[in-house]
Amino acid sequence: MKPDLFEAPDYYNLDDLLNDEHKLVRDAARQWVKRDVSPIIEDYAQKAEFPKQIIGGLAEIGAFGPYIPEEYGGAGLDQISYGLIMQEIERGDSGVRSTASVQSSLVMYPIYTYGTEEQRKKYLPKLASGEFMGCFGLTEPNHGSNPGGMETKFEDKGDHFLLNGAKLWISNSPFADIAVVWAKNEEGRIHGLIVERGMEGFTTPETHNKWSLRASATGELVFNDVKVPKENLLPNKSGLGAPLGCLDSARYGISWGAIGAAMDCYDTALRYAKERIQFGKPIAATQLQQKKLAEMITEITKAQLLAFRLGQLKNEGRATTAQISMAKRNNVDMAINIAREARQVLGGMGITGEYSIMRHMMNLESVITYEGTHDIHLLITGMDITGHAAFK
Ligand code: TGC
Ligand code: FAD
């Protein structure tokens, strides 16, 4: 793979809006990605393997629980710093950002927000340091966009719960130490349970042959009469709103992350267009390639403004689910379109692993599907502005 020469586009001087801490955190993540991710990621994506050796580095840059208070091992940062870390990691690879998103927003967030003090103390510091890795089980074979229909269930057996069912498409499942699992009790009410690797009847088969997110491990969670200790129930919120609350936080991070992937594709295409000579001049001097590049930087700039404003609202506790949906949908769509255009700027070279663009493009096919599909986010906006839910 080519050396990582990335230079971040900042067409509207957004750096002026960042404080010193934001810039420090962002620059540390950027340097780490250049040093520890870019040189190895193509190889791991080709092998379809998650590079476990980067777990310590992710912890060091604060990617595990950026906004979780320091007393629980988190970085105690604000939401804009969280977004910037996700942006920088996804600039390297969406699969690596997935690992960080799941650990932070789908495992640490529910334990911090819905868990007991004992659960916080037991799990959060280890998750923040990367000693424990976690995964989040919501999606099932028969229930993806409609998680409320889930069939995974648990029964109260007096001194423990008995868990049965299966989850599909679970990021990090093949190597996770713990899983935050959403299941229905005898009354059909959804609760979160912490399931630990090694519990009898709990298996995590890996999903193979993905063309997308190849450097991220994806698998199933299978529960066959798993005895879960009662103290592993997350007691402070139940109902579908509990997992959906976690998704708000992860989707927010993705709205920043997608900008990173788009910036990398744009930067690569711009550099290539300036260097590639056809018909005696750089292809960057042709109107058609300028149209592609000019539209890319325009869309990236709009997405940056959207994410920054959403970050301000999130810091104030005012960001709504619908606002987050709009940003996730818009920014991922923006990134996938830029990846497709950027790939064309590179001609045949664009399909090789010498450059990151094709990998980003394939990764973004997952990003536009998980954490709520492109369609579902449009319907969330539609519901918000009309008052009518068109899902059912
Ligand atoms: P609905 O009737 O609208 O809502 C049920 C209850 O939940 C409440 N609620 C929320 N609460 C907190 N935060 C939110 N964002 C909430 N959204 C809704 C709602 O008020 C209601 O509460 P109550 O008290 O009235 O019961 O639910 P619905 O069944 O109609 O479904 C709505 C829909 C389709 C929008 C929702 O289910 C949805 O978002 N579906 C998409 C599923 C999804 O995003 N799955 C993601 C799985 S995890 C993943 O993909 C990880 S990828 C790895 C990575 O991140 O990198
Ligand atoms: P479906 O819900 O079956 O949707 C199929 C199509 O129908 C889509 O185009 C959808 O937009 C459309 N559709 C569905 N309902 C409607 C409707 N009402 N109106 C119009 N169109 C509709 N889940 C987890 O719980 N944890 C994870 O860690 C996780 N990681 C993932 C990693 C990867 C690589 C992938 C690909 C997925 C992951 N997921 C995870 C699952 C992901 O969240 C789901 O794939 C996603 O929510 C969509 O569900 P589905 O695949 O079952 O598609």
Side-chain angles (χ1 to χ4, degrees):
M1 196 177 160
K2 296 268 180 209
D4 185 349
L5 303 172
F6 177 69
E7 284 173 39
D10 184 14
Y11 206 72
Y12 263 42
N13 302 336
L14 268 161
D15 260 26
D16 295 354
L17 302 179
L18 303 180
N19 64 32
D20 289 345
E21 183 172 78
H22 296 147
K23 288 184 212 165
L24 205 69
V25 163
R26 192 263 322 267
D27 292 347
R30 186 168 292 168
Q31 289 317 314
W32 176 75
V33 168
K34 278 202 178 201
R35 196 190 64 217
D36 287 3
V37 178
S38 300
I40 58 138
I41 198 64
E42 178 65 28
D43 191 32
Y44 277 82
Q46 294 281 358
K47 289 192 288 191
E49 196 180 315
F50 173 69
K52 285 196 184 145
Q53 70 273 26
I54 66 172
I55 286 175
L58 280 165
E60 270 171 36
I61 62 164
F64 294 157
Y67 52 85
I68 299 290
E70 287 169 291
E71 63 174 304
Y72 300 107
L77 298 167
D78 76 350
Q79 292 290 324
I80 290 175
S81 288
Y82 165 42
L84 288 164
I85 293 173
M86 296 298 119
Q87 170 188 287
E88 294 306 316
I89 298 175
E90 193 148 1
R91 208 277 299 170
D93 189 80
S94 303
V96 179
R97 197 270 307 135
S98 268
T99 296
S101 288
V102 169
Q103 183 89 340
S104 299
S105 287
L106 301 183
V107 179
M108 296 178 75
Y109 175 87
I111 293 174
Y112 176 68
T113 314
Y114 313 141
T116 61
E117 194 52 29
E118 291 71 34
Q119 290 168 339
R120 289 171 163 194
K121 286 190 175 130
K122 179 174 177 188
Y123 296 108
L124 292 178
K126 288 185 174 164
L127 289 161
S129 70
E131 183 183 341
F132 272 9
M133 293 302 293
C135 67
F136 176 88
L138 181 64
T139 306
E140 298 189 351
N142 296 326
H143 301 280
S145 296
N146 173 29
M150 71 175 66
E151 294 160 53
T152 300
K153 58 181 187 190
F154 65 97
E155 293 167 73
D156 190 335
K157 292 290 184 186
D159 62 340
H160 64 270
F161 296 122
L162 199 65
L163 179 66
N164 277 289
K167 302 286 176 180
L168 187 66
W169 293 120
I170 307 305
S171 301
N172 301 352
S173 97
F175 59 81
D177 302 286
I178 63 166
V180 169
V181 176
W182 301 93
K184 285 180 179 168
N185 68 8
E186 289 96 329
E187 285 82 48
R189 184 87 183 152
I190 294 171
H191 288 266
L193 297 163
I194 302 169
V195 180
E196 298 186 14
R197 185 171 295 282
M199 286 181 175
E200 210 180 323
F202 174 42
T203 51
T204 60
E206 183 158 1
T207 302
H208 296 290
N209 297 333
K210 291 180 298 166
W211 282 112
S212 171
L213 230 64
R214 287 170 65 81
S216 159
T218 313
E220 299 169 46
L221 303 174
V222 182
F223 315 106
N224 195 356
D225 279 341
V226 181
K227 284 184 184 173
V228 181
K230 286 202 151 167
E231 64 263 24
N232 284 26
L233 182 106
L234 298 174
N236 296 331
K237 186 154 170 121
S238 63
L240 187 58
L244 292 181
C246 308
L247 296 186
D248 274 357
S249 179
R251 291 166 176 173
Y252 164 75
I254 291 171
S255 75
W256 282 87
I259 297 171
M263 291 198 307
D264 197 47
C265 293
Y266 165 76
D267 181 60
T268 305
L270 179 63
R271 187 169 297 112
Y272 188 89
K274 286 178 179 171
E275 289 169 1
R276 177 70 176 165
I277 310 288
Q278 288 295 289
F279 299 97
K281 64 177 184 183
I283 59 170
T286 66
Q287 287 187 354
L288 281 176
Q289 304 315 315
Q290 286 190 8
K291 176 175 188 290
K292 290 191 183 92
L293 294 163
E295 285 177 353
M296 284 182 211
I297 191 62
T298 307
E299 291 307 313
I300 288 170
T301 304
K302 283 152 68 179
Q304 285 172 325
L305 292 166
L306 193 61
F308 184 82
R309 176 61 186 147
L310 188 63
Q312 287 180 322
L313 290 171
K314 204 127 192 339
N315 275 342
E316 294 163 13
R318 292 199 293 141
T320 65
T321 293
Q323 286 170 334
I324 293 168
S325 273
M326 182 183 283
K328 192 267 182 184
R329 182 175 186 273
N330 181 80
N331 291 8
V332 177
D333 192 50
M334 171 280 299
I336 206 167
N337 288 330
I338 285 179
R340 287 169 183 154
E341 291 289 304
R343 205 225 42 81
Q344 292 193 51
V345 173
L346 269 69
M349 288 310 293
I351 71 154
T352 72
E354 283 292 294
Y355 295 90
S356 55
I357 296 178
M358 190 85 175
R359 178 166 45 80
H360 282 306
M361 190 172 113
M362 303 295 270
N363 282 342
L364 289 161
E365 291 291 344
S366 287
V367 182
I368 204 165
T369 294
Y370 66 33
E371 294 278 4
T373 67
H374 192 61
D375 296 331
I376 289 296
H377 288 298
L378 177 128
L379 295 176
I380 291 173
T381 306
M383 177 171 71
D384 194 50
I385 59 177
T386 67
H388 296 285
F391 309 107
K392 299 165 188 167

